[in-house]
Amino acid sequence: MDRIRISGGKSLNGTIKIGGAKNAALPLMAASLLTSETLCLSNLPHLADITTMVHLLSELGVEVSMNGDAPDGGHIGRVFGLNGYEPKNKTAPYDLVRRMRASILVLGPLLARWGEAKVSLPGGCAIGTRPVDLHLKGFEALGAKIELKEGYISAFAPDGLKGANVLFPSVSVGATENILMAATLADGKTTISNAAREPEIADLAYCLRKMGAEIEGIGSDTLRVIGKPELHAADYQVIPDRIETATYAVAAAITGGDILLKGTRLELIESVADVLMGAGVNVSEVEDGIRVTNPSGRVKGIDVMTEPYPGFPTDMQAQMMALLAVSEGASMITETIFENRFMHVPELCRMGADINVHGSSAIVRGVDKLSGAELMATDLRASISLVLAALAAEGETIINRVYHLDRGYERVEEKLAACGAVIERVEE
Ligand code: UD1
């Protein structure tokens, strides 16, 4: 299994090109199941989760063709044509769903288009139980019958889905996406209330509109959809990855560096930028990107609470904790989205951080320096937080189980090394 070796203490200076958003790309790829025509997606990141989605869609009968890297040195991101005519199969098997929870996003499109679908129950994962009840209640509201048997969700709507009012009791990104996709082919009008407002959902909605869907309220918590008998071909470019953007912003901050994040937008990371600036980091919008500098090399402690968008993203909690671990002062970090999302804490403490967890909050008392150690990556965002901590630490850090990183960060060693980090992948 690959490991990453980092010699810390170098200030990072340079330019990092931000890729397309994984969490926008996955639902957009699932949307290809809604039409018999070709959905052509560009700016797709080169990540393990995207490959898993390609496998799943191929299993379902979608023909996926990769048109190679776009111009600009091949770094604009890949272009895929997804042609979803007749499914050979309407089942998403356990083996693929187990590897990636986002596989559940094929349920809505399959059910809406073919009146039936079967998807393995995702089950628990490292960051909590993560149920799918909100997805299922939404489909039931649209008239589907749901059965849970032998670890699978079977959904049926032999006469098609019917538009309805779907009110989510709590905010869920995946459930909003699944119901939104299904509603585009339902008969009549659907209103989704208390919808999640993440930019990836707006991205999906804009793409669905290009495919012929009628959707109002994009970007708000109420989405109104008028169902259509069918959708058609479209070309669509995936938005920049806001979590990758914010992660490299923290890399600049934690190493006292100066990084230009190219091909991304400040409005996508506003809540993270507010916290960084509150901690004393300079974040400014420049032409075609964002510049992040932290000449003092330190930050001040600041309290952070994760919330649904536009609040501070849970997918940035671990990275921010690595930064605050070497701040001047104390910070309280509260995780309100997922239980059990503090698995990076013991690893950071092994590097010398002073962090105590009390329920859903962590008290982080800043220390002057972290020191390198041998560490274990546990999930995607926890893994990158260890990389960030290692970049700032004294001495050498080895991070094991880096396959988690490959699920969400494209060419991470290359991008950091280009800014002066001493980082390498050790293949075993
Ligand atoms: C998506 C993102 C993930 C991010 C998360 C929160 C993708 C592929 N993943 O995950 O990176 O961390 O949003 O921004 O886009 N819940 C239920 N019942 C459900 C669904 C969710 O109780 O049916 C709960 C979850 O356990 C969690 C909360 O709702 O506590 C939010 O989860 P949700 O927004 O659905 O996250 P995902 O869509 O899984």
Side-chain angles (χ1 to χ4, degrees):
M1 233 176 272
D2 290 3
R3 312 157 110 199
I4 282 195
R5 186 189 294 138
I6 296 171
S7 291
K10 308 279 178 302
S11 146
L12 299 194
N13 296 283
T15 300
I16 293 180
K17 171 78 181 83
I18 300 301
K22 166 178 89 80
N23 287 349
L26 294 171
L28 286 168
M29 291 170 77
S32 65
L33 290 162
L34 290 165
T35 174
S36 62
E37 298 185 13
T38 300
L39 175 62
C40 185
L41 297 174
S42 57
N43 201 30
L44 283 163
H46 192 180
L47 297 169
D49 275 9
I50 302 294
T51 311
T52 305
M53 188 56 104
V54 168
H55 286 153
L56 175 55
L57 292 174
S58 310
E59 175 93 13
L60 299 172
V62 176
E63 275 185 13
V64 183
S65 56
M66 204 173 86
N67 304 328
D69 289 323
D72 187 25
H75 292 336
I76 275 183
R78 297 179 306 169
V79 181
F80 278 176
L82 301 119
N83 192 326
Y85 31 60
E86 183 77 23
K88 14 180 220 236
N89 181 352
K90 298 168 193 113
T91 302
Y94 174 69
D95 192 44
L96 289 169
V97 180
R98 169 180 70 83
R99 272 191 263 161
M100 185 184 67
R101 280 183 50 84
S103 308
I104 186 84
L105 294 171
V106 303
L107 184 55
L110 279 179
L111 176 64
R113 183 132 168 258
W114 304 103
E116 61 173 285
K118 192 171 161 190
V119 176
S120 169
L121 271 164
C125 76
I127 61 171
T129 43
R130 299 185 82 175
V132 290
D133 56 318
L134 298 172
H135 301 237
L136 304 186
K137 288 206 179 86
F139 294 129
E140 280 173 341
L142 297 179
K145 264 187 65 73
I146 307 281
E147 280 173 15
L148 300 182
K149 229 170 54 194
E150 291 156 1
Y152 277 79
I153 306 161
S154 295
F156 306 93
D159 302 322
L161 294 173
K162 305 271 176 292
N165 291 331
V166 178
L167 167 62
F168 288 123
S170 57
V171 180
S172 160
V173 175
T176 303
E177 291 166 341
N178 232 340
I179 302 306
L180 174 63
M181 287 189 280
T184 61
L185 292 181
D187 181 22
K189 181 176 165 184
T190 298
T191 303
I192 307 175
S193 308
N194 201 21
R197 293 190 283 159
E198 268 66 2
E200 293 76 19
I201 294 175
D203 208 38
L204 172 64
Y206 286 124
C207 176
L208 292 169
R209 256 196 196 166
K210 275 193 111 178
M211 295 168 73
E214 202 175 320
I215 304 171
E216 296 303 329
I218 299 178
S220 80
D221 65 359
T222 308
L223 294 167
R224 279 175 294 273
V225 187
I226 312 266
K228 299 279 174 192
E230 54 186 34
L231 299 186
H232 53 68
D235 284 356
Y236 196 76
Q237 184 177 342
V238 179
I239 48 164
D241 195 313
R242 64 194 168 98
I243 305 301
E244 189 190 26
T245 304
T247 298
Y248 290 126
V250 171
I254 203 168
T255 63
D258 181 344
I259 302 185
L260 173 65
L261 304 165
K262 225 176 132 218
T264 186
R265 303 194 295 272
L266 188 55
E267 35 136 7
L268 290 172
I269 61 154
E270 226 158 64
S271 58
V272 180
D274 284 350
V275 171
L276 286 173
M277 290 190 282
V281 179
N282 304 315
V283 182
S284 56
E285 186 138 42
V286 292
E287 206 195 324
D288 192 30
I290 304 172
R291 183 172 170 204
V292 185
T293 67
N294 186 24
S296 76
R298 291 301 293 273
V299 297
K300 297 189 290 266
I302 188 165
D303 292 347
V304 179
M305 185 187 292
T306 65
E307 281 169 316
Y309 191 85
F312 189 94
T314 172
D315 283 351
M316 276 305 297
Q317 181 257 105
Q319 300 89 314
M320 195 55 73
M321 189 180 290
L323 175 63
L324 294 175
V326 284
S327 67
E328 282 163 358
S331 316
M332 182 158 86
I333 300 185
T334 305
E335 171 60 59
T336 72
I337 309 291
F338 294 114
E339 79 257 36
N340 202 15
R341 203 171 195 181
F342 284 135
M343 276 153 336
H344 40 288
V345 170
E347 300 299 298
L348 290 172
C349 290
R350 294 183 62 243
M351 301 177 81
D354 180 354
I355 306 171
N356 283 295
V357 174
H358 301 274
S360 59
S361 292
I363 309 289
V364 183
R365 293 187 179 83
V367 296
D368 283 345
K369 274 259 166 255
L370 296 176
S371 52
E374 182 153 355
L375 306 172
M376 190 68 81
T378 47
D379 71 62
L380 170 56
R381 307 302 171 185
S383 313
I384 196 76
S385 78
L386 302 181
V387 171
L388 294 170
L391 291 172
E394 258 169 7
E396 187 177 277
T397 296
I398 306 264
I399 303 173
N400 293 291
R401 296 203 184 155
V402 297
Y403 56 85
H404 290 293
L405 277 178
D406 298 331
R407 289 190 43 221
Y409 291 90
E410 181 173 350
R411 296 180 292 111
V412 62
E413 325 81 280
E414 218 180 285
K415 290 188 181 189
L416 290 169
C419 292
V422 181
I423 176 168
E424 62 172 347
R425 183 178 292 247
V426 187
E427 285 173 23
E428 302 226 321

